[in-house]
Amino acid sequence: MFKSVHSDRISMAIVDQIKEAVYQKRFKVGDKLPSERELTEQFQTSRVTVREALRTLEYSGILEIKRGVDGGAFVRDPHTKFVNDFLQDMFFMGNIQVPHLTEARMAVEPFAAKVACERISSSALDQIGQNIADTEECVKRNNFKDARLLNLEYHRLIAQASANPVIFFLVDSIMDIMEKNISSIPLSSKPVESTLHYHEEIYQAMKSLDSERVQDLMRHHIKAIQLVLENAHTEPLPR
């Protein structure tokens, strides 16, 4: 399965070979790698070096190390957690600010909404409609905290409806930062209700398959969100 390695950075050479095996689908999600003993023999190196390589792959999110009798190194389902964690750290350190998020959203979300409108399935449209109904119910009960969380989920649903995993990855990462760092900023009911109004308009335009209007509405919506955040007291941001 693997070749022996002879390098000053043996563990990284092992990491590269295992990555390549995963990328080439020789190991699929959920598959268990050979045992440490077998890997040691195949790579012709020490068990300590193999463990170091496996830990590196675990940290990068490619492998999951399970302990116990049925344990071992398993290929994990890829997700955005590690990139999201990195972006969270950048936000806390001040390297990413709210205007940066808005610029990224302006670059991605209007187009995502346009594509979603062109590709929308009936089930995806139903999900978006249900999200709006749930948000309206929260607003009626003055539960603005949950309403704001549902508003963020709305944008994830739009990105998901685009059927483009890269678009969803980008929007989901941004929404994750918004959810953890911005959604707790105190706001009056007015901006929450305004957001809901935009969401309803976008939804209706989607139902009409008017992709240009959907794109234009999303652009105005994101600009409106930025104005609200600029007027809110955001220093220091709640953690």
Side-chain angles (χ1 to χ4, degrees):
M1 176 65 72
F2 297 111
K3 303 174 184 178
S4 62
V5 291
H6 304 281
S7 168
D8 294 336
R9 298 292 305 279
I10 294 175
S11 67
M12 292 310 298
I14 293 171
V15 166
D16 290 341
Q17 283 201 49
I18 294 177
K19 276 184 179 179
E20 187 66 21
V22 173
Y23 296 158
Q24 292 181 358
K25 308 297 184 183
R26 284 183 277 151
F27 288 103
K28 299 186 176 79
V29 172
D31 284 352
K32 182 179 179 180
L33 265 62
S35 67
E36 284 186 4
R37 180 183 59 79
E38 291 172 309
L39 291 174
T40 297
E41 291 173 357
Q42 290 184 41
F43 289 120
Q44 295 182 21
T45 188
S46 69
R47 185 167 287 190
V48 171
T49 303
V50 168
R51 285 178 181 172
E52 181 182 349
L54 294 179
R55 279 196 298 268
T56 299
L57 290 163
E58 180 183 31
Y59 182 76
S60 66
I62 293 173
L63 297 181
E64 179 181 7
I65 308 299
K66 297 180 181 179
R67 314 299 174 189
V69 178
D70 298 322
F74 295 82
V75 179
R76 76 185 308 163
D77 190 14
H79 51 71
T80 64
K81 176 182 182 299
F82 295 93
V83 173
N84 285 355
D85 287 348
F86 171 75
L87 291 175
Q88 288 289 338
D89 291 342
M90 292 283 284
F91 190 88
F92 283 143
M93 293 171 66
N95 295 323
I96 294 176
Q97 314 245 341
V98 173
H100 297 144
L101 295 177
T102 299
E103 287 180 358
R105 294 185 71 182
M106 288 293 290
V108 176
E109 289 199 65
F111 177 75
K114 180 177 184 293
V115 173
C117 184
E118 294 166 353
R119 300 174 179 174
I120 195 79
S121 65
S122 58
S123 61
L125 200 58
D126 288 344
Q127 280 186 298
I128 293 168
Q130 186 60 53
N131 173 277
I132 292 172
D134 292 342
T135 308
E136 288 174 340
E137 184 61 31
C138 285
V139 170
K140 287 178 184 176
R141 292 187 280 107
N142 293 321
N143 182 358
F144 298 114
K145 179 180 178 181
D146 286 348
R148 292 174 71 183
L149 292 175
L150 284 165
N151 283 338
L152 295 176
E153 186 62 23
Y154 175 93
H155 289 269
R156 290 189 177 99
L157 291 172
I158 296 286
Q160 192 174 49
S162 75
N164 183 317
V166 178
I167 287 176
F168 179 75
F169 172 83
L170 294 170
V171 173
D172 183 56
S173 297
I174 294 170
M175 291 305 109
D176 195 60
I177 294 179
M178 299 281 286
E179 182 175 332
K180 293 180 180 176
N181 305 289
I182 299 172
S183 63
S184 58
I185 296 173
L187 293 177
S188 66
S189 62
K190 187 175 180 179
V192 179
E193 292 168 351
S194 175
T195 291
L196 182 58
H197 176 71
Y198 268 112
H199 286 187
E200 176 65 30
E201 280 200 291
I202 292 168
Y203 171 67
Q204 292 300 331
M206 278 194 160
K207 287 178 70 175
S208 301
L209 302 181
D210 189 345
S211 60
E212 294 302 324
R213 176 165 170 74
V214 164
Q215 185 176 32
D216 191 51
L217 284 168
M218 183 63 79
R219 187 179 295 112
H220 286 290
H221 174 35
I222 294 170
K223 286 180 180 178
I225 292 171
Q226 177 61 24
L227 287 174
V228 168
L229 292 175
E230 285 176 357
N231 293 329
H233 297 291
T234 60
E235 295 292 343
L237 285 173
R239 298 194 181 188

